[in-house]
Amino acid sequence: MWSNLPLFPAGASSMAGHVDALYFALVAITAFFTILISVLILFFAVRYRRKRNPTATQVPASTTLELLWTGIPLGIVLIIFVWSSVIFFIQTRPPKGAMEIYAVAKQWMWKFEHPEGQREINQLHVPVGRDIRMVMTSQDVIHDFYVPAFRIKADVLPGRYTSTWFRATVPGRYHLFCAEYCGTQHSGMVGEVIVMEQADYERWAASGVEGSLASSGEKSFQQYGCSMCHRSDAAGRGPNLVGAFGRPVLLDDGRTVTADESYIRESILNPGAKISSGFKNIMPTFQGQLSEEEVIGLVAYIKALGSGSANPPLPVSEPNSGAYPVAPKTEGSAAQSDTAVTPPEKANPAKSAPKQ
């Protein structure tokens, strides 16, 4: 019915029908009261014009009328509030088992990384009928992930992860926009979501891939010396990361947080922000040392450690060597201190948080 109306895209996701129903209900309510009020204004203007009523008369108060024009709008507003809240909670809570795809926004392009290892720019391939959770961050300014056909729109913020999810229901190609003004070429920050049958997606995902996202994170984990302290036994200087993702973390200030993607990212780039109980603040920052893709790989690897789909970390040197791993220096970045740091007092890893 609406396929030929350019300003109303076809619905191609599991949420599209719910959002459209709410939208049309709001339009209908607005149109009804606009017409009703307009008609009443014209009626009273004619009915009580000066020729017929040269002298004003006092209209007696009506409790029933007062209750009606207060109660009816209140009831309508409450219905809209509950209805929209249900849709909001569904949109912000991805189903368990959803496939996770990482997105990095920057002026003026989209970069996507699939769990199988595929990387894309301004194109996003997804299977039809599968729940997809987008884990997103920005390298510069605020962007916004917007797919009109899926009826989803979510801010993409620098320095942290945000997420949204969708389930595409119709194979095809759909427009992807940045819906937040992000600079002079904002209008050119476009892409497309390509929805494929499951078999076609599997063939595409398996083509030309060197390794999964978690395997690339494992390489970075070894390359940057993370396995020297974050061991899978009780001899490590840092918390044991095996099975840490998604669990509560007790901090040294008494607070408890959840070890999600944002927490792990912050732990890598700003390890002193939240110190795990039982550990000292001796981990060097990797801010400026790691690319966004490397951080995403490390997050994927730590998540995979809990599911058993990744190898547990192996030490790159003996734990009693006396030196803490130092973030490698890169040209143009602040140099890290090469002075060895006396390791902190050991804590029970079973009661420790998955971060320093």
Side-chain angles (χ1 to χ4, degrees):
M1 175 180 177
W2 302 98
S3 58
N4 295 322
L5 184 61
L7 297 180
F8 198 88
S13 75
S14 58
M15 285 301 301
H18 299 286
V19 175
D20 290 349
L22 176 60
Y23 171 76
F24 285 125
L26 292 174
V27 171
I29 292 171
T30 303
F32 172 78
F33 281 103
T34 299
I35 295 172
L36 176 63
I37 293 172
S38 299
V39 170
L40 289 176
I41 290 174
L42 291 174
F43 171 77
F44 287 124
V46 174
R47 174 68 177 79
Y48 296 101
R49 63 187 183 274
R50 176 174 290 185
K51 278 188 178 181
R52 296 188 59 180
N53 298 272
T55 304
T57 57
Q58 181 67 35
V59 177
S62 172
T63 303
T64 302
L65 183 61
E66 294 284 352
L67 292 174
L68 282 176
W69 68 33
T70 302
I72 292 176
L74 176 62
I76 293 174
V77 169
L78 289 177
I79 291 172
I80 294 173
F81 171 76
V82 173
W83 190 356
S84 59
S85 296
V86 170
I87 294 177
F88 172 79
F89 287 129
I90 294 174
Q91 285 187 327
T92 55
R93 286 165 173 77
K96 292 183 178 180
M99 184 175 75
E100 294 183 342
I101 298 177
Y102 288 85
V104 179
K106 62 178 297 186
Q107 296 171 317
W108 288 272
M109 61 185 289
W110 297 96
K111 296 189 290 184
F112 301 103
E113 296 192 56
H114 294 252
E116 300 87 355
Q118 286 281 10
R119 290 174 169 82
E120 306 183 80
I121 294 179
N122 292 337
Q123 281 191 336
L124 174 60
H125 290 74
V126 297
V128 67
R130 180 83 181 271
D131 296 328
I132 307 294
R133 178 176 180 248
M134 302 298 301
V135 183
M136 306 174 291
T137 188
S138 169
Q139 286 189 221
D140 37 49
V141 298
I142 297 176
H143 298 279
D144 201 285
F145 183 85
Y146 176 44
V147 184
F150 297 167
R151 310 297 194 264
I152 58 170
K153 179 177 176 292
D155 286 341
V156 183
L157 308 177
R160 57 170 293 185
Y161 288 124
T162 58
S163 65
T164 188
W165 77 277
F166 62 87
R167 185 194 310 132
T169 55
V170 182
R173 293 173 176 261
Y174 303 99
H175 294 295
L176 164 64
F177 299 101
C178 174
E180 185 77 29
Y181 182 73
C182 56
T184 56
Q185 298 182 41
H186 163 70
S187 60
M189 190 171 172
V190 296
E192 63 177 352
V193 181
I194 303 173
V195 182
M196 313 169 72
E197 296 291 348
Q198 182 65 39
D200 295 333
Y201 174 80
E202 290 176 357
R203 284 193 293 270
W204 172 85
S207 61
V209 178
E210 297 181 357
S212 67
L213 193 57
S215 65
S216 66
E218 182 179 3
K219 293 177 182 177
S220 298
F221 196 86
Q222 297 291 339
Q223 175 186 349
Y224 288 96
C226 307
S227 56
M228 180 184 295
C229 296
H230 295 285
R231 296 162 55 108
S232 56
D233 54 26
R237 299 183 182 90
N240 182 358
L241 300 178
V242 177
F245 184 83
R247 294 185 178 180
V249 179
L250 178 62
L251 304 181
D252 62 352
D253 59 4
R255 292 180 297 157
T256 299
V257 297
T258 301
D260 56 10
E261 293 94 347
S262 295
Y263 175 84
I264 295 174
R265 173 193 169 86
E266 185 181 42
S267 300
I268 296 170
L269 302 180
N270 185 17
K274 296 183 179 74
I275 309 300
S276 299
S277 177
F279 293 90
K280 301 295 184 180
N281 182 19
I282 62 172
M283 177 175 170
T285 177
F286 287 85
Q287 183 76 48
Q289 310 290 343
L290 297 174
S291 66
E292 196 62 54
E293 288 74 17
E294 288 177 309
V295 174
I296 289 174
L298 286 169
V299 172
Y301 172 61
I302 294 172
K303 293 172 68 174
L305 287 174
S307 63
S309 58
N311 298 321
L314 298 174
V316 296
S317 64
E318 291 299 320
N320 295 322
S321 62
Y324 194 87
V326 176
K329 301 175 184 177
T330 58
E331 184 178 351
S333 65
Q336 301 289 341
S337 172
D338 293 328
T339 305
V341 180
T342 303
E345 181 179 348
K346 301 287 194 304
N348 184 351
K351 298 181 179 179
S352 300
K355 169 179 101 163
Q356 301 182 60

